[in-house]
Amino acid sequence: MTQQNLWQFIAEQQDKLLTQVIQHLGLTFVSLLLAILVGLPLGILIARKKILANPVLGTAGILQTVPSIALLGFMIPAFGIGATPAIVALLIYALLPIIRNTYTGITGVDPAVVEAAKAMGMSRRQLLFKVELPLAMPVIIAGIRTAAVINVGVATLASFVAAGGLGEFIFGGISLNNTNMILAGAIPAALLAIILDQLIAVLQKSGYGSLRKIAYVIPVILIVVGGIYVFNTSSEHKLKAGFTPEFMGRQDGDIGLRTVYGLNVKPLIVSDAIMYKAAYDKELDLISGYSTDGRIKAFDLYVLDDDKKIFPPYFAAPVIKTKTLNNFPKLKETLNLLAGKFNDSIMTDLNYRSDYLHQTPEKIAKDFLKQNNLLKNPGKRSGGTIRIGSKIFGEQYILAEMYKMLIEGYTDYKVETKTGLGGTKICFDALVNDAIDFYPEYTGTGLLVLLKPNESTIKKVTQSAEETFEYVDAEFKKQYGMEWLKPLGFNNSYALMMRKEQAGQLQIKSISDLKHYLDSLK
């Protein structure tokens, strides 16, 4: 197979890229307009009543220090998913530079000029609009310029809450180990920031009279772009779907649904951290998920039967470099203590304890090892250090803790955990670059995301879990000098799911049933 270059990828995905650019501009412009409408009056207020300056600027500063992904998370309970939480979060991030520069610009006007205006008999309103704002405008525009550039960057995270934008390509590319996809999102985002910065710089250099004329045009532009954004994020189906960025770009994901089932549901892109709750809250009707996820049980969801078998086996096992096993002779035997100790229902129950009962990964791991007579108290650790990695979801945290306790109990090796490493690409690159020594991976991911064989090979080796495992193990040894240790015993494959009540009402049991139902709506 020939390697696809960036320009080929962009040409192939140009419609989707254009949609994401419009969505990104819509998020940025709407939030910026609202931030100006809120921040400019606040800046004027605290310039007039200086006793309020420190509390207002301090509050805006504290809000801007909240990590952007956390701020989006705080918005979800109040505003749900979609454009609203993203716009509110971006508005908050844009407030500080606008408020601060408005305050600085007005208070920085020469007092002699202000006194002269007052001596001429100007009212407070006239003083503001004819003297202070014109003189402060370059500083105010500089604040808006800063806010715009910040919002272009932060808007890439909007895809986590199904708000669209260029973050869909960026985070999908990270999950899929696809550099072209990452660049197709990152390069336009950077260009938008540069172009927007330079356009506002032109405004900043304009005279106040020119700015007043332009001020009538800008809101219209922002509203039009915002309207286009809303149109592009609206769903054409009565069933509202939400898929993760990784699921969208995989053959055993949205691509397979379209090519094998003929199912195109126009999904929103959403983080797996919130999609289960969004389905439960009826903000989404159909989601991609993982077959052993505890939230299936917690939120009473129904897994649709994959009757045409697009989801290959996803058996979990540690992936580790052969040289690491040679350097740490006791490691392989210790890690294999977990081999075969799980099945799908056991792993689902452990995930349920994490996702719904909110037990810590440490407690879940300790209870499981104790139940299986595998728990040992840590001894002296005088050997080398083993670094365990994990992806950023509960199941991986649990497995990482189990391996940590086993290594500390059965060997003299020290252990460091580097959990929450994001998607497949980040974990695998960390392993390749010796930033970690091993992490739990899934055979289907190893096959489709990391090895990427041709379609005939995929069909051949996915006939059984054993064939899939043997193929990825052999290819990893050959291509990367890595080994897959013995599988743990559970199969965490991709799945499509709906609310159990809704699936029952619509008599949808399989993905083909879903396709027939959607066809009947046309």
Side-chain angles (χ1 to χ4, degrees), residues 247-261 310:
F247 189 83
M248 285 298 298
R250 296 176 66 132
Q251 185 61 45
D252 60 332
D254 186 61
I255 295 173
L257 292 177
R258 286 188 279 111
T259 56
V260 177
Y261 285 96
I310 65 168

Side-chain angles (χ1 to χ4, degrees), residues 187-410:
I187 292 173
L191 289 175
L192 286 179
I194 293 168
I195 292 169
L196 196 54
D197 178 67
Q198 292 305 307
L199 286 174
I200 298 175
V202 171
L203 295 181
Q204 193 174 359
K205 294 174 183 177
S206 301
Y208 183 61
S210 300
L211 283 173
R212 290 184 63 183
K213 294 176 183 177
I214 296 170
Y216 294 107
V217 179
I218 289 176
V220 176
I221 295 173
L222 298 183
I223 291 168
V224 169
V225 174
I228 295 172
Y229 165 71
V230 171
F231 175 79
N232 274 279
T233 54
S234 62
S235 174
E236 297 176 9
H237 293 291
K238 292 186 178 180
L239 284 181
K240 196 171 184 180
F243 296 163
T244 64
E246 183 168 355
F247 189 83
M248 285 298 298
R250 296 176 66 132
Q251 185 61 45
D252 60 332
D254 186 61
I255 295 173
L257 292 177
R258 286 188 279 111
T259 56
V260 177
Y261 285 96
L263 184 69
N264 187 6
V265 292
K266 308 278 186 183
L268 298 170
I269 309 300
V270 62
S271 166
D272 60 0
I274 65 171
M275 64 183 179
Y276 293 89
K277 184 68 162 54
Y280 178 77
D281 291 337
K282 300 183 180 180
E283 295 185 72
L284 295 173
D285 301 305
L286 177 73
I287 63 171
S288 62
Y290 310 100
S291 60
T292 60
D293 201 300
R295 289 169 291 187
I296 297 171
K297 177 181 176 182
F299 295 125
D300 200 28
L301 302 178
Y302 180 79
V303 176
L304 304 185
D305 178 42
D306 175 26
D307 50 304
K308 294 186 179 179
K309 307 301 178 189
I310 65 168
F311 303 130
Y314 272 79
F315 279 81
V319 179
I320 190 167
K321 283 186 176 179
T322 303
K323 70 174 186 180
T324 304
L325 294 175
N326 294 333
N327 292 335
F328 297 91
K330 301 175 188 175
L331 189 57
K332 185 172 186 176
E333 181 183 356
T334 302
L335 298 183
N336 279 337
L337 289 171
L338 285 185
K341 291 292 190 295
F342 299 81
N343 57 34
D344 291 2
S345 61
I346 289 173
M347 196 67 242
T348 301
D349 183 63
L350 296 179
N351 286 328
Y352 175 78
R353 291 172 60 184
S354 171
D355 298 329
Y356 190 70
L357 301 182
H358 303 300
Q359 295 180 4
T360 64
E362 293 86 353
K363 175 175 171 49
I364 297 168
K366 188 173 184 179
D367 289 348
F368 179 84
L369 294 180
K370 188 182 294 183
Q371 184 181 355
N372 286 272
N373 298 315
L374 291 173
L375 188 66
K376 278 188 178 183
N377 292 326
K380 293 182 179 180
R381 294 190 288 277
S382 57
T385 300
I386 304 293
R387 297 157 302 171
I388 307 171
S390 86
K391 301 182 187 181
I392 192 167
F393 57 95
E395 180 172 289
Q396 291 259 319
Y397 289 112
I398 294 169
L399 294 177
E401 282 300 323
M402 288 185 186
Y403 285 126
K404 178 178 183 290
M405 292 177 185
L406 285 176
I407 293 169
E408 290 179 342
Y410 287 81

Side-chain angles (χ1 to χ4, degrees), residues 80-91:
I81 63 172
T84 303
I87 289 171
V88 173
L90 290 170
L91 181 158

